[in-house]
Amino acid sequence: MATKRKVKFIFITGGVVSSLGKGITSSSLGLLLKQRGLKVTIMKFDPYINIDPGTMNPYQHGEVYVTDDGSETDLDLGHYERFLNISMTKLNNTTTGQIYNTVITNERKGEYLGATVQVIPHITDEIKRRIELLKESDNYDVIIIEIGGTVGDIESLPFLEAMRQFMHKVGRTNAINIHLTLVPFIKSSGELKTKPTQHSVKTLLEIGIQPDILVCRSERRLTKDLKDKIALFCNVEPSSVIEGRDVDTIYSVPLAYEKEKLDEIVISKLNLKCNPLNLEKWKHFVKRVVAPKYKIKIGLCGKYIELADAYKSITEAFIHSGAENNTKVEIKWIAAEDIEKDGPEPYLKDISGLLVAPGFGSRGIEGKISAIKYVRENKIPFFGICLGLQCAVIEFARNVCGIKNANSTEFNEKTKQNVIDLMLEQKKVKDKGGTMRLGAYPCNIQKGTLAYTAYKKELIYERHRHRYEVNNKYKSQLAKHGMVFSGICPANDLVEIIELNNHPFFIASQFHPELKSRATIAHPLFREFIKASLSYSNKKKMTEEL
């Protein structure tokens, strides 16, 4: 039996304001430690009372990130996976709702033997138990734990108290706190101000937590004098005050932290034994992100286009696939409702490829269908995801197969030409939370297809989040007119991938490939989509020059 390693813990907290980038900091530090040969994972504590973000409107919380085991989680887990190239599970994300749900369920079962159930010890003990569960799940060297929210928020207090207790228990040689703060630049005085950082640390100290390292977000350079001042008033070593200046891409953050020696400081404080840092592959990737050789414009058609976080994994997958093709992908955000109003021509005539995004509900559907018809007929590369596949099937059924009223029962419950229908196992589902087809499922790839060219394998596993599917009653009719079902789930014969042969690139997936794209390893379908779009763009330029 392998000997269990001594696990070290790094707690990441944030102060002053939200959205400072705790997730990117956690991911960047995790990458630096992983590239030194350490086995690293990251955990996110979310203070909201929802069980998970699955029922939240994207305007509330951005996209819902789905793991292999079918957990609907915070979008920060996407950053963890993309940077570290590892897969997360339900153990990597815990919410206040999950904590209270477990404690109340235990109380109803009588497991507290008549005790008065309180925040301390019952809630804090459950938080610490979740950390131990992750620790025991694998042989980790380092577990990074990001605590959501901002220090001073009422919602975060139980997590911070549990963190204080946990650090006290394991000792400061085994657990440290990195506190992320803001050092704002005041334009009228021309100065960077340290007072917000001082107050943030003071709030932490009132809880009983002394930060070991401060990462100071700023749009300007922190001078040595400024770092010394922060160190003095926050009771940390000057070398442990790290500059977190704005950079051109989130993928440059690990390189910025490397220059500030953040990983070396962490290694020293936790007495970690590890290898020299190797970032050559990452640096090559970042170089292609920052200074690519080519540039193309890709249309992204959806209904949340004013909210980029709703499509966070898709936009990041474009960066990854762009880098593999040495290409900058400029996204043209296209509202499906605008196409319904004005037609597709004004919005699609200047793009080199179109991605129709996933989503739910009937709003903008006819616009998506109209957009797909345009790119199909004009031979512009097309990629559909989840709802994008369903819209592509409806469009093909109506305009190629002659099924004039083809539709989905999601948009028209009374349709008699339901080429898209509610999945059989979904018809008895009443609760909305965590009840979709979620997580990784197998898919058999047909040889000789576009999908096989991309994957170069016959069996894949991809992540899902949907309730509706292609109605198999219409498969033969669709196939007769040229639709290829190149990916099928072997367990229940569900359509996973469709494509068209008489087109430069036309493919759609029922699953969400964006969820498995990694920074230095682009997803095969995204990679081939950008490759085809680049080829289309070059041919179009040559034609225009003639």
Side-chain angles (χ1 to χ4, degrees):
M1 181 181 289
T3 306
K4 273 283 183 182
R5 305 177 193 180
K6 181 73 173 179
V7 186
K8 306 288 186 172
F9 300 89
I10 302 168
F11 289 89
I12 308 251
T13 54
V16 185
V17 295
S18 59
S19 301
L20 280 178
K22 295 190 298 296
I24 300 300
T25 293
S26 301
S27 303
S28 299
L29 177 57
L31 173 71
L32 294 176
L33 297 177
K34 185 191 175 195
Q35 293 307 111
R36 287 178 171 274
L38 297 170
K39 188 164 187 178
V40 183
T41 194
I42 310 178
M43 185 179 199
K44 173 76 182 285
F45 282 127
D46 275 308
Y48 51 74
I49 300 177
N50 304 65
I51 295 293
D52 56 49
T55 57
M56 290 187 193
N57 189 304
Y59 290 106
Q60 291 281 313
H61 206 68
E63 77 169 4
V64 176
Y65 194 82
V66 179
T67 56
D68 281 341
D69 63 359
S71 299
E72 294 178 295
T73 68
D74 184 77
L75 60 79
D76 271 331
L77 269 74
H79 292 310
Y80 306 162
E81 290 199 346
R82 288 188 282 270
F83 276 64
L84 272 64
N85 188 25
I86 59 175
S87 292
M88 301 285 157
T89 71
K90 63 181 180 180
L91 298 178
N92 293 90
N93 191 200
T94 291
T95 69
T96 293
Q98 291 172 14
I99 297 294
Y100 275 85
N101 187 52
T102 298
V103 170
I104 291 169
T105 300
N106 289 343
E107 184 273 333
R108 292 288 83 187
K109 291 178 179 178
E111 292 185 13
Y112 299 124
L113 303 178
T116 301
V117 179
Q118 298 176 296
V119 173
I120 303 172
H122 301 96
I123 297 298
T124 50
D125 281 356
E126 177 59 22
I127 294 169
K128 291 184 290 182
R129 186 185 74 85
R130 301 281 178 127
I131 299 174
E132 292 291 344
L133 278 176
L134 181 59
K135 171 189 168 185
E136 295 302 319
S137 68
D138 211 331
N139 212 12
Y140 296 115
D141 295 304
V142 178
I143 297 177
I144 299 171
I145 301 167
E146 177 192 346
I147 297 182
T150 306
V151 170
D153 293 347
I154 293 172
E155 295 91 342
S156 300
L157 284 174
F159 291 109
L160 293 169
E161 172 58 21
M163 164 187 159
R164 184 196 67 77
Q165 293 178 16
F166 190 90
M167 293 179 73
H168 178 73
K169 176 184 175 183
V170 301
R172 296 307 288 252
T173 58
N174 295 313
I176 61 171
N177 169 229
I178 298 177
H179 190 53
L180 195 66
T181 74
L182 178 67
V183 180
F185 177 74
I186 307 301
K187 193 174 181 180
S188 59
S189 65
E191 293 179 307
L192 288 167
K193 292 296 183 180
T194 66
K195 196 66 71 177
T197 293
Q198 295 176 42
H199 282 296
S200 181
V201 171
K202 181 181 177 183
T203 303
L204 260 184
L205 289 169
E206 288 172 353
I207 299 169
I209 299 168
Q210 166 65 56
D212 300 278
I213 300 169
L214 295 177
V215 174
C216 302
R217 288 296 314 278
S218 176
E219 60 184 87
R220 302 291 180 98
R221 188 177 69 86
L222 300 185
T223 63
K224 183 181 182 301
D225 288 345
L226 209 62
K227 285 186 174 183
D228 287 343
K229 180 180 179 181
I230 292 170
L232 177 64
F233 286 104
C234 295
N235 201 32
V236 299
E237 299 162 351
S239 62
S240 294
V241 178
I242 303 298
E243 178 183 277
R245 201 163 11 143
D246 295 348
V247 289
D248 44 16
T249 168
I250 59 170
Y251 298 107
S252 293
V253 175
L255 305 181
Y257 285 157
E258 177 205 15
K259 288 181 181 177
E260 289 285 296
K261 302 186 185 307
L262 175 59
D263 55 321
E264 292 182 16
I265 296 166
V266 167
I267 288 164
S268 175
K269 288 185 180 295
L270 292 175
N271 193 28
L272 286 161
K273 301 289 188 278
C274 53
N275 303 326
L277 183 61
N278 181 359
L279 284 177
E280 291 311 306
K281 189 174 181 180
W282 192 267
K283 288 177 180 178
H284 175 73
F285 160 68
V286 172
K287 183 179 179 181
R288 282 196 161 191
V289 171
V290 175
K293 185 176 180 180
Y294 308 107
K295 180 180 178 180
I296 57 171
K297 184 184 291 185
I298 298 292
L300 194 158
C301 182
K303 70 174 186 177
Y304 302 112
I305 59 143
E306 70 278 18
L307 184 71
D309 271 0
Y311 306 109
K312 190 65 178 174
S313 290
I314 291 175
T315 58
E316 297 307 310
F318 276 143
I319 294 173
H320 311 156
S321 53
E324 282 210 18
N325 286 282
N326 204 5
T327 300
K328 176 178 174 57
V329 177
E330 177 189 336
I331 298 175
K332 181 177 182 180
W333 298 91
I334 303 168
E337 289 171 288
D338 287 343
I339 293 180
E340 287 182 347
K341 183 177 62 175
D342 304 321
E345 176 76 18
Y347 302 98
L348 306 182
K349 62 183 179 181
D350 63 338
I351 62 171
S352 297
L354 175 70
L355 186 146
V356 172
F360 299 94
S362 60
R363 181 162 66 89
I365 290 301
E366 292 302 322
K368 291 181 177 182
I369 292 170
S370 179
I372 294 168
K373 181 176 186 289
Y374 182 89
V375 298
R376 178 180 58 79
E377 293 179 340
N378 288 277
K379 307 296 185 184
I380 300 170
F382 165 75
F383 186 15
I385 297 176
C386 196
L387 182 61
L389 175 143
Q390 295 168 14
C391 289
V393 170
I394 294 170
E395 188 280 323
F396 192 83
R398 288 180 185 176
N399 300 311
V400 179
C401 301
I403 310 173
K404 296 301 181 183
N405 296 313
N407 214 326
S408 167
T409 49
E410 181 180 6
F411 317 135
N412 180 0
E413 291 183 4
K414 296 180 180 179
T415 180
K416 293 181 180 179
Q417 296 179 326
N418 54 334
V419 293
I420 304 296
D421 200 8
L422 188 65
M423 299 179 69
L424 188 61
E425 62 264 34
Q426 288 289 319
K427 293 188 176 181
K428 296 181 180 178
V429 171
K430 293 183 179 179
D431 292 341
K432 296 298 182 184
T435 56
M436 284 184 274
R437 188 176 196 237
L438 294 166
Y441 287 86
C443 172
N444 288 336
I445 303 291
Q446 181 182 328
K447 281 190 172 183
T449 60
L450 188 57
Y452 187 82
T453 300
Y455 283 101
K456 294 180 173 58
K457 58 176 71 172
E458 294 181 62
L459 177 63
I460 60 168
Y461 288 83
E462 292 282 6
R463 300 177 186 178
H464 298 68
R465 187 174 186 255
H466 66 104
R467 298 185 192 277
Y468 293 81
E469 62 174 343
V470 175
N471 188 339
N472 283 345
K473 292 179 182 178
Y474 289 89
K475 274 176 67 176
S476 60
Q477 195 171 351
L478 292 163
K480 180 181 176 181
H481 287 83
M483 180 166 281
V484 178
F485 302 101
S486 55
I488 299 292
C489 180
N492 42 17
D493 198 36
L494 298 183
V495 173
E496 296 280 7
I497 307 173
I498 64 161
E499 56 186 76
L500 299 180
N501 287 328
N502 58 342
H503 196 281
F505 190 95
F506 192 105
I507 195 166
S509 66
Q510 183 58 67
F511 51 78
H512 289 257
E514 71 275 18
L515 299 178
K516 296 190 83 169
S517 185
R518 304 291 182 257
T520 56
I521 308 172
H523 190 281
L525 294 181
F526 273 90
R527 182 194 67 228
E528 294 304 306
F529 173 54
I530 297 306
K531 182 180 178 181
S533 299
L534 182 60
S535 176
Y536 173 87
S537 177
N538 291 336
K539 288 177 182 176
K540 186 178 179 182
K541 287 176 184 176
M542 289 175 63
T543 303
E544 290 171 351
E545 291 171 359
L546 291 175

